[in-house]
Amino acid sequence: MTPNDSPRPGGYINFIAYLQIIGIILVVAGHSLHEYPDGAHGWSTPFYRSIMTVSLPLFMFVSGLLMVYTSGLTGTPKYTPGSFVRTKLRRLILPFIVLTTVTFVPRALFDSMSDDPFPLTLDNFGRSLVYQDCMPIPFFWFLQVSFIMLSLTFCVLYFSGSRRVRPAAVVLGLLFLAFLVAPIQVTPFLSIDRVRDFGFFFIAGCLYSLYSARIDRLIPWTDIRFLSASAAVWIGLFLLFEDSPLRFLCSLTGIAMCMSLARIMEERRWQFLDHLKAANYMIFLLSWYFNIAAQQVLAHFVALPWWVHTSLSLIAGIYIPWLGYKYLEKHQDNRLIRITSYILGQSFRKRA
């Protein structure tokens, strides 16, 4: 994205921050319905199934948008492929390996409280690092998919040259759309099957970042009527295409709805969620532990209605990791805190 293509910097950064906040709230909400009395973690509810069409596609979309926005690919790149991949290894794969490792033994020991068998064996530990269906923290496949998409897309666009970034991104978008609409059978090894399912939304974020000036002139993001219309279309497409290859249209409309909401929040200065800015990645990494504590663990000792477990899980899953983020941020001069931040892929601005 060139300087002339981008909206005013402060507003654009706020817009992205609000998109991230909306996304992480949807993700944690989806993980907070474990105790819903259908035996399927709330899958029988339209609420759960509908937010699942938006939450992780939105996260992938924002990842693609940010990659183009921050990497300088349309001008002078800020990274070489090697430095970019190393950065993403530290940011994504290091936390994945560390948290998977420290979670593996407790997860296996509490096997009786879980829904699926999780044996305490060396073979299972090895598989938990490379197969998305064997991970102790089930949704950590997102980290592998993000790393693959970031590395692959950056390298393709980098070697395409600044003048050919846009057509190269369009070709990638068409390729991943073909994978999505007519999916081939692929292995869960390194979450490749999830790359097939979610890679298109990452490229869609790249394309929005590259063409945002033109798109923003056509779409009235800050108009409440557009927000309402996109929400209505999202619901309609969900009802029509939930089990269809065209489900991606529902996801795209849901992303547009979230973009409109984020734009409205930025324009009207709705600051009630500003305290969550920059903490979304920490919330993603740590929310599972508190979701589990508020639902599966607590349910074994205290009989509470499902909605109480859900409410506790949502609040704990967002705000306990947020408190951890604020603590790390406040004490970043401490050597142990810096090491912890590094391991968790966190980065804070240096104090003046």
Side-chain angles (χ1 to χ4, degrees), residues 28 30-35 41 103 106-116 135-140 283 285-302 308-310 312-318 320-321:
V28 179
H31 297 156
S32 297
L33 284 167
H34 188 278
E35 295 304 309
H41 306 173
T103 306
R107 169 71 172 81
L109 292 177
F110 284 91
D111 188 39
S112 60
M113 292 185 180
S114 66
D115 302 301
D116 303 306
M135 295 176 183
I137 303 176
F139 54 85
F140 266 20
I283 294 171
L285 289 176
L286 301 183
S287 63
W288 177 84
Y289 299 96
F290 305 104
N291 290 151
I292 293 299
Q295 296 181 102
Q296 288 164 274
V297 176
L298 186 61
H300 277 72
F301 302 102
V302 183
V308 175
H309 286 291
T310 295
L312 290 174
S313 178
L314 179 61
I315 294 169
I318 292 174
I320 297 179

Side-chain angles (χ1 to χ4, degrees), residues 19 21 44 52 132 157 161 179 318:
L19 267 184
I21 292 170
S44 65
M52 292 301 288
Q132 62 91 5
L157 299 185
F179 291 154
I318 292 174

